[in-house]
Amino acid sequence: WPVASWSSLDYFGNWKQLHYHAKRFYAPVIATAIRKTPELVELRIVNDRGEPVRGSLLLTVFNVNGEKRLQQTFAVDQGAYTAGVLAAIPIAELSRTLTEDFLYMELQGVCGGEKIRFTNECFFAKYKEYQLPQSEIQHRLYEDAQGQIHLEIASKVPAFYVFAEFRGVSAVFSDNSFTLLPGQPRDLTITVGGKFPVKELENRLVIRNLRSSYEE
């Protein structure tokens, strides 16, 4: 029976959007931005691993059409099993057009000899207050020489909560429900429940995003 539910898996075992987000927000190393007050944003690093994380955080402010408004880099040196504030920035220094801009973060570093990469974003206003442009998402579904199914996906404008699925087919994607930036295509691997030719999967493929969620 359809209900409002906290479940992150559907009846068939497919991952809902929540499950993909949980994979990210429970990651052992994350970067996040929190509006501490209406005038202030805090950049924070959380390190749940037993080794320090050292690297950098690239902070970019984009408008909804993909234009870069501002870009800054911060050094990261976060101790093991700690969380901390990397910087506190007045919002007025980041944007004066809050319903047009959003903040995008990319953390890159090393922890215990392992490379770390984590991306996140922060919106300055409620989603419904943004005039998002029409999404222009392109995709290519293909099978590589090892039989692995891939979905290559790109967009000409920022697209938020991009979510791909196959109608009537159980499948888990390497990532899903993410922000897709222009000039930064993604190549996702897919574990499909059962044997389906690529042409049939193409016919069953649905790609949604925040902007398309209120289109007919």
Side-chain angles (χ1 to χ4, degrees):
W1 295 92
V3 295
S5 170
W6 289 78
S7 170
S8 64
L9 300 175
D10 70 15
Y11 176 83
F12 301 100
N14 289 317
W15 291 21
K16 299 180 183 180
Q17 287 181 271
L18 171 60
H19 212 74
Y20 290 99
H21 286 282
K23 181 180 176 181
R24 286 195 285 272
F25 59 66
Y26 282 126
V29 179
I30 69 170
T32 187
I34 297 175
R35 290 191 67 175
K36 188 68 174 178
T37 70
E39 295 80 28
L40 190 70
V41 167
E42 284 187 352
L43 306 181
R44 300 183 181 184
I45 305 294
V46 178
N47 178 17
D48 286 336
R49 300 188 59 165
E51 300 285 344
V53 175
R54 295 185 176 90
S56 62
L57 177 73
L58 178 63
L59 176 72
T60 308
V61 176
F62 291 96
N63 70 9
V64 292
N65 293 309
E67 176 188 346
K68 288 183 183 179
R69 304 281 208 191
L70 176 149
Q71 197 166 63
Q72 295 180 351
T73 301
F74 299 86
V76 173
D77 189 352
Q78 190 67 42
Y81 305 124
T82 64
V85 176
L86 185 62
I89 309 173
I91 291 177
E93 293 182 7
L94 298 172
S95 172
R96 296 188 179 276
T97 51
L98 300 186
T99 58
E100 296 179 10
D101 301 337
F102 67 97
L103 188 157
Y104 187 81
M105 294 159 284
E106 182 178 358
L107 170 66
Q108 294 198 58
V110 176
C111 180
E114 180 181 338
K115 290 185 178 180
I116 299 292
R117 182 179 182 273
F118 189 87
T119 63
N120 209 340
E121 59 278 319
C122 175
F123 291 83
F124 297 119
K126 297 176 182 178
Y127 299 132
K128 65 182 180 180
E129 296 175 353
Y130 286 82
Q131 296 297 317
L132 298 178
Q134 184 74 27
S135 304
E136 300 181 36
I137 295 177
Q138 301 84 41
H139 76 274
R140 181 171 72 98
L141 191 67
Y142 68 97
E143 185 176 359
D144 65 20
Q146 288 71 45
Q148 175 68 62
I149 303 296
H150 293 252
L151 177 63
E152 192 176 74
I153 191 167
S155 179
K156 294 182 180 179
V157 298
F160 307 104
Y161 300 103
V162 175
F163 186 73
E165 61 182 343
F166 300 111
R167 292 191 185 96
V169 174
S170 178
V172 174
F173 293 71
S174 58
D175 199 7
N176 222 336
S177 195
F178 51 79
T179 294
L180 185 61
L181 296 177
Q184 297 187 26
R186 301 284 299 273
D187 191 301
L188 312 176
T189 56
I190 310 168
T191 301
V192 180
K195 293 291 185 179
F196 294 88
V198 172
K199 186 175 181 180
E200 182 176 351
L201 291 175
E202 178 72 44
N203 291 334
R204 293 173 178 264
L205 178 65
V206 179
I207 301 175
R208 301 183 179 91
N209 62 85
L210 181 61
R211 176 64 175 82
S212 69
S213 69
Y214 48 86
E215 296 174 356
E216 293 185 0

